[in-house]
Amino acid sequence: MPRINVDLQDVPSGSIILPENLLYLGEVADAELRSTEKGQYINVEIEIKRSSGTNPEEWAGEILYDVLPLPGVAISTDDRRTAKRKLRRGIRLKEFLEKAGARWEPSGFETEDLIGLNAWFNVTTDEYQGRKRSRPNRYFGNQAEAAEALAE
């Protein structure tokens, strides 16, 4: 068996849990189309650039992941409820694209077009595969919009 020569001394253990009371500016570092039995989605890797906290650079460089489901395609045999549910799967993707200022054509877009997009967001903490993690909760077009929405 080959020996793996790697020093894991400085690698953090577990997931980073971010404060939920801050806003974060993130940039898409990677975007990948994936599929499951429920449909397709884009897995985005978001690098935090700064936060709204007293030390804006404190969380810079941290990486979060988000899942942006693509809307399903309604077919003629779907009942109205099923067709509506399939379309609603795309709400999170559309919100992200709009808030990040992305442009897309009715025929679609390339996943690499997402790389480099920026958006403000807040986070929520959930559990995934038995481990707590932070993930983007809601996206905003700018910091003022985010602060106003969260103050309501």
Side-chain angles (χ1 to χ4, degrees):
M1 297 217 119
R3 177 174 171 75
I4 307 298
N5 294 316
V6 63
D7 182 3
L8 300 174
Q9 198 72 17
D10 295 328
V11 176
S13 297
S15 300
I16 301 298
I17 304 299
L18 300 171
E20 293 184 10
N21 63 332
L22 297 180
L23 299 169
Y24 302 89
L25 175 63
E27 180 178 296
V28 177
D30 195 20
E32 180 183 343
L33 181 64
R34 296 184 180 175
S35 297
T36 68
E37 65 281 348
K38 291 183 179 180
Q40 292 185 306
Y41 65 94
I42 300 172
N43 190 64
V44 290
E45 179 181 304
I46 300 170
E47 179 181 347
I48 294 176
K49 294 300 183 182
R50 62 185 161 132
S51 72
S52 64
T54 55
N55 181 1
E57 304 302 316
E58 180 178 4
W59 301 104
E62 295 295 345
I63 302 291
L64 295 179
Y65 296 90
D66 200 5
V67 172
L68 305 173
L70 273 63
V73 177
I75 56 176
S76 61
T77 57
D78 287 341
D79 60 45
R80 184 180 172 145
R81 184 175 180 199
T82 301
K84 194 173 194 176
R85 187 174 62 242
K86 285 180 176 181
L87 286 176
R88 292 187 61 78
R89 280 183 43 89
I91 289 174
R92 187 162 179 81
L93 171 63
K94 186 174 182 180
E95 175 189 65
F96 172 79
L97 293 173
E98 289 174 342
K99 300 304 180 179
R103 300 191 195 297
W104 67 92
E105 311 243 339
S107 61
F109 58 92
E110 300 290 330
T111 54
E112 57 261 19
D113 293 343
L114 301 180
I115 297 171
L117 291 179
N118 290 277
W120 284 90
F121 58 91
N122 65 333
V123 298
T124 188
T125 302
D126 65 9
E127 197 168 301
Y128 179 70
Q129 296 181 345
R131 293 174 38 193
K132 288 191 175 194
R133 66 170 183 177
S134 292
R135 65 174 185 82
N137 182 44
R138 186 172 167 199
Y139 292 100
F140 305 96
N142 58 55
Q143 188 175 5
E145 176 191 343
E148 182 180 314
L150 295 178
E152 295 174 352

